[in-house]
Amino acid sequence: MSPNTRTAYGTSSTFWKRTPTFVPSTIEIVYTGETPSPAETTAKPPAETTSAQPAPRSASPQPTPQTTDEVQEPLTSTSSYDDSSPIAQDEAPTDPLELKFHTLLTAANVDIEELQKQSWKGIPSSQRSTAWCLLMGYFPLNASRRSQTISRKRREYTDWVRQTFSRGEDALDRSLWHQIRIDVPRTTPGSPLFQSPRIQRSLERVLYCWAVRHPASGYVQGINDLLTPFYYVFLSPHLAQPVDSLDDSVMDTVEADSFWCLTKLLDGIQDNYTHAQPGIQRQLIKMKDLVSRIDAPLAAHLDSEGVEFIQFAFRWINCLLMREVSLTSTIRMWDTYLAEPDGFSSFHIYVCAAFLLKWSKQIQQLDFQRTLLLLQKPPTESWTAKDVELLLSEAYMYKCLYHNSPNHYSATQKR
């Protein structure tokens, strides 16, 4: 097997280090006594929110529906993401929340702290693509530098694609390419959009180009899942027409921006995907310790039944819960992750703990086999935005109570 490919289920970038801490105003912590517990806290959930041509493509695929079963976000004409301009100067939206984001995103110098504060509670779909690019550190905050910088990055990716695929698939790393070609059709299988051959070829190019440029980690199953939220968010403003009728320049822009944002994301959690995936191993230990402190009876039951956290939570961390909740829910969760310092690593552990605790009473009535069946396929099909926001609020509550607790994490840091 190629060293670039691993089939098992972070190094910090400057972006992750410079992100300031934000405390949502809608979270209230009530705490008495020496040892905090969930019963002593209350959390109010956040308010519901409403490049040049790449390598030659394969033959034109059959028409594919432009919407998905999972994602039903409304498309608007006020989208701030445009294929020809980093932030389009559209007519200001009339919705107050959209107008607030529009004002933030079109400023000469974007106030990143204010953008994080507003994004924690959810980003309007019409403003999300630009907001994500800014929050990821891909779009410069200074408007005067933005257009030139983005054009250069998009050309750079296009040149990589051309160089990589110019000699055809036979010149590629066969093992790596084969694994990617297997995994891409499995990505978001319930979505007709991601079953489009045109989109699948695009996802394959992004994943392959990323893998060959990051040999220390290479491609790992699960990275394909992490690409889809970016791809969907950037493609959404153009889905008023079928995917197969979109101009190549639009698809090239979506592909390039998805590549760079995926790169930014993985730079912050790189230890999750290097050899032996030490980042995930550390987070599993932290999650187990956290659950033991919050819900001792649940932790004792899992131990008595022989249920190990690695048997269910490894995938939760590796794929950021994308296989446990819908793409719509994932996108909403990422709004908050991007507003949190180390949102995709440290804060995600609190989200995973809160997610597990939701099924605590049910799990304590189940044996080993039925517990794993529940945790590997939790019943989240009917989840709404309210469910996601409650989960995020509970995770933030646990973070406030336990993140700086002297007994929490200290033991795991010494191991």
Side-chain angles (χ1 to χ4, degrees):
M1 178 174 292
S2 165
N4 287 328
T5 310
R6 288 186 282 114
T7 57
Y9 287 132
T11 299
S12 300
S13 67
T14 56
F15 164 71
W16 303 99
K17 293 179 181 178
R18 67 177 172 81
T19 308
T21 302
F22 165 61
V23 179
S25 59
T26 53
I27 304 297
E28 295 182 359
I29 304 300
V30 180
Y31 163 46
T32 59
E34 297 182 356
T35 305
S37 68
E40 296 170 323
T41 65
T42 59
K44 297 181 181 179
E48 183 177 9
T49 64
T50 44
S51 37
Q53 300 295 326
R57 292 174 169 78
S58 57
S60 178
Q62 294 298 317
T64 307
Q66 66 269 32
T67 59
T68 74
D69 292 335
E70 292 184 335
V71 182
Q72 301 293 337
E73 293 187 285
L75 303 175
T76 75
S77 60
T78 60
S79 172
S80 57
Y81 183 89
D82 184 78
D83 60 315
S84 59
S85 174
I87 298 183
Q89 301 294 328
D90 300 318
E91 181 180 351
T94 57
D95 178 79
L97 183 60
E98 291 187 8
L99 179 59
K100 181 182 293 186
F101 273 90
H102 181 83
T103 302
L104 278 170
L105 299 177
T106 55
N109 287 283
V110 175
D111 185 340
I112 190 64
E113 293 187 22
E114 182 63 22
L115 180 58
Q116 290 165 343
K117 177 180 178 180
Q118 298 300 326
S119 298
W120 206 102
K121 296 172 286 187
I123 304 171
S125 59
S126 63
Q127 311 295 316
R128 181 175 281 124
S129 51
T130 297
W132 276 24
C133 288
L134 288 163
L135 291 167
M136 288 301 305
Y138 170 45
F139 281 8
L141 300 179
N142 184 282
S144 64
R145 297 177 47 237
R146 193 170 296 134
S147 181
Q148 182 179 3
T149 300
I150 296 170
S151 295
R152 174 176 56 80
K153 298 296 282 186
R154 289 171 177 170
R155 286 196 303 270
E156 185 177 345
Y157 173 74
T158 299
D159 290 343
W160 284 349
V161 171
R162 182 181 296 110
Q163 294 169 10
T164 301
F165 294 92
S166 60
R167 293 183 294 171
E169 294 185 7
D170 290 341
L172 304 178
D173 181 319
R174 292 190 177 183
S175 178
L176 170 61
W177 183 243
H178 176 71
Q179 187 61 55
I180 291 173
R181 292 295 299 269
I182 289 175
D183 290 345
V184 165
R186 299 172 180 170
T187 305
T188 319
S191 166
L193 178 67
F194 285 100
Q195 298 309 305
S196 162
R198 188 181 191 189
I199 288 182
Q200 289 187 356
R201 300 294 82 76
S202 179
L203 297 176
E204 290 165 1
R205 288 191 294 269
V206 171
L207 294 170
Y208 187 87
C209 286
W210 183 87
V212 297
R213 282 160 181 78
H214 295 80
S217 54
Y219 175 75
V220 180
Q221 289 177 346
I223 293 179
N224 54 306
D225 294 288
L226 306 186
L227 173 60
T228 54
F230 293 121
Y231 205 97
Y232 179 80
V233 167
F234 299 154
L235 186 62
S236 289
H238 308 286
L239 288 181
Q241 56 182 307
V243 169
D244 295 326
S245 65
L246 291 175
D247 190 81
D248 278 351
S249 63
V250 172
M251 298 298 293
D252 294 345
T253 296
V254 171
E255 183 176 322
D257 291 351
S258 297
F259 170 83
W260 287 115
C261 284
L262 177 69
T263 300
K264 288 282 188 179
L265 168 62
L266 295 177
D267 282 350
I269 53 175
Q270 186 173 338
D271 279 359
N272 288 4
Y273 304 105
T274 53
H275 178 67
Q277 299 177 272
I280 294 180
Q281 301 295 340
R282 287 194 299 269
Q283 291 179 80
L284 284 169
I285 296 173
K286 292 177 180 180
M287 181 182 171
K288 182 177 181 179
D289 289 348
L290 179 60
V291 171
S292 297
R293 295 199 65 193
I294 299 173
D295 191 339
L298 172 62
H301 176 76
L302 292 175
D303 185 62
S304 66
E305 291 294 330
V307 178
E308 299 289 342
F309 276 68
I310 195 172
Q311 294 171 315
F312 61 89
F314 191 99
R315 190 176 75 179
W316 293 9
I317 300 171
N318 188 59
C319 301
L320 297 177
L321 284 173
M322 284 195 60
R323 299 189 183 182
E324 284 66 43
V325 300
S326 69
L327 183 56
T328 303
S329 296
T330 296
I331 289 171
R332 171 60 191 90
M333 289 167 63
W334 283 26
D335 288 346
T336 297
Y337 282 15
L338 286 166
E340 277 282 329
D342 298 319
F344 292 94
S345 53
S346 178
F347 185 69
H348 180 64
I349 295 303
Y350 291 98
V351 173
C352 287
F355 190 72
L356 173 62
L357 294 173
K358 279 190 173 293
W359 326 108
S360 176
K361 291 183 179 179
Q362 186 175 351
I363 290 172
Q364 292 182 55
Q365 305 301 318
L366 302 177
D367 59 16
F368 173 86
Q369 184 174 0
R370 288 187 295 170
T371 296
L372 286 185
L373 288 175
L374 172 65
L375 296 178
Q376 291 173 355
K377 190 175 177 57
T380 61
E381 295 84 359
S382 61
W383 272 30
T384 65
K386 283 290 188 183
D387 295 299
V388 175
E389 288 164 358
L390 179 58
L391 175 69
L392 294 169
S393 295
E394 291 169 343
Y396 184 79
M397 175 184 68
Y398 295 139
K399 175 188 173 182
C400 290
L401 290 174
Y402 296 100
H403 186 62
N404 294 317
S405 175
N407 293 327
H408 179 47
Y409 284 6
S410 58
T412 64
Q413 292 171 352
K414 295 177 182 178
R415 295 177 185 178

